[in-house]
């Protein structure tokens, strides 16, 4: 789940620049227009699985548990 731009910077800082070019050519993640990897928690910034996007909530389920009662969700046992 790491940010690949960080990795790329590390590669570019090292003296061996061809490695960075090879990474760009072969290992760069695709630019996506949709999908799980673009969903982001608005509270903690977590990406990927477990983001609740119904009603445009965009919270991850951990944050949702903490914020839900403030948002007006009631907990039923
Ligand atoms: Zn979160």
């Amino acid at each position: 789940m790491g940010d690949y731009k960080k990795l790329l910077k590390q590669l570019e800082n090292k003296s061996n620049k061809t490695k960075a070019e090879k990474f760009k050519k072969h290992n760069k993640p695709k630019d996506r227009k949709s999908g799980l990897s673009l969903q982001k928690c608005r509270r903690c910034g977590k990406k990927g699985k477990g983001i609740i996007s119904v009603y445009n909530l965009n919270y991850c389920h951990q944050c949702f548990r903490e914020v839900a009662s403030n948002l007006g969700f009631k907990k039923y046992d």
Side-chain angles (χ1 to χ4, degrees):
M1 251 197 283
D3 193 357
Y4 86 94
K5 277 176 185 168
K6 240 185 202 173
L7 188 68
L8 194 61
K9 237 182 193 175
Q10 279 184 346
L11 288 172
E12 277 171 347
N13 284 338
K14 282 179 187 165
S15 55
N16 197 349
K17 286 212 167 171
T18 54
K19 268 191 180 172
E21 278 159 30
K22 276 191 176 174
F23 177 84
K24 272 184 206 166
K25 196 179 173 191
H26 300 289
N27 299 85
K28 197 182 155 217
K30 274 184 186 172
D31 295 322
R32 296 184 197 278
K33 287 174 187 162
S34 63
L36 277 178
S37 58
L38 288 184
Q39 295 183 346
K40 211 174 166 190
C41 172
R42 68 162 98 166
R43 189 158 170 259
C44 69
K46 195 174 275 183
K47 280 189 268 183
K49 247 170 99 180
I51 309 291
I52 299 164
S53 51
V54 261
Y55 313 129
N56 281 324
L57 280 171
N58 294 320
Y59 285 113
C60 70
H61 72 96
Q62 289 93 338
C63 292
F64 179 72
R65 267 178 67 98
E66 290 163 22
V67 199
S69 58
N70 299 337
L71 296 174
F73 287 91
K74 281 178 188 169
K75 203 172 176 183
Y76 294 98
D77 291 321

